[in-house]
Amino acid sequence: MDAEQYFTNLALAAMVDGHLDDAERVLLEQHAANLRLTSDQAQSVLNRVFSGELKGFVKPQSPEARKAAFRAVVRILRADKVLTSKEQRMIKVLGVQMEIEDSLIDNALGPKWDPKL
């Protein structure tokens, strides 16, 4: 999975509830920088997600990469300290798609999520 695909997954997650709040935007900017995406590349991905051009998650191949991607998505969804029903549903569906253990999915949905688990 390349950096742009990974960032696309994060942007799709951030937009699941229909808007991008400040906390989510900050985390996306940090991820873009860590992935060495230029601001133009990151903005292009966000624009394509907003327009509906990009819709599908790309599943990382290795179990470790899937867990890391799942944790990153959950971190973004929980950034504003509120999990909407759409965000909760996304965590469940994404966890199943990425073959994440039920206990990790339950942890991600819990009130005291621990990203280290």
Side-chain angles (χ1 to χ4, degrees):
M1 167 182 294
D2 68 23
E4 195 167 303
Q5 289 172 320
Y6 191 88
F7 187 75
T8 298
N9 284 355
L10 298 177
L12 286 165
M15 281 302 300
V16 73
D17 61 358
H19 71 282
L20 191 62
D21 68 30
D22 291 338
E24 291 167 335
R25 185 176 305 279
V26 167
L27 280 175
L28 285 173
E29 288 171 359
Q30 290 171 353
H31 279 287
N34 291 341
L35 293 166
R36 295 194 165 104
L37 295 176
T38 66
S39 59
D40 287 343
Q41 288 172 305
Q43 191 59 55
S44 173
V45 168
L46 289 173
N47 290 343
R48 290 184 289 155
V49 167
F50 291 136
S51 73
E53 180 183 337
L54 295 176
K55 298 177 185 176
F57 273 80
V58 176
K59 180 180 173 181
Q61 294 207 349
S62 76
E64 296 81 20
R66 288 193 298 270
K67 281 183 185 179
F70 179 75
R71 280 193 299 270
V73 165
V74 173
R75 189 173 296 117
I76 286 180
L77 292 175
R78 295 183 70 103
D80 62 359
K81 311 288 188 227
V82 175
L83 274 180
T84 67
S85 61
K86 286 182 180 181
E87 290 170 333
Q88 290 173 16
R89 194 167 36 256
M90 172 171 256
I91 288 171
K92 290 175 189 173
V93 169
L94 189 63
V96 170
Q97 283 182 340
M98 289 200 179
E99 302 172 32
I100 302 299
E101 299 167 26
D102 288 343
S103 61
L104 295 178
I105 296 169
D106 292 342
N107 177 45
L109 292 167
K112 298 193 185 246
W113 175 60
D114 181 357
K116 295 177 183 108
L117 292 180

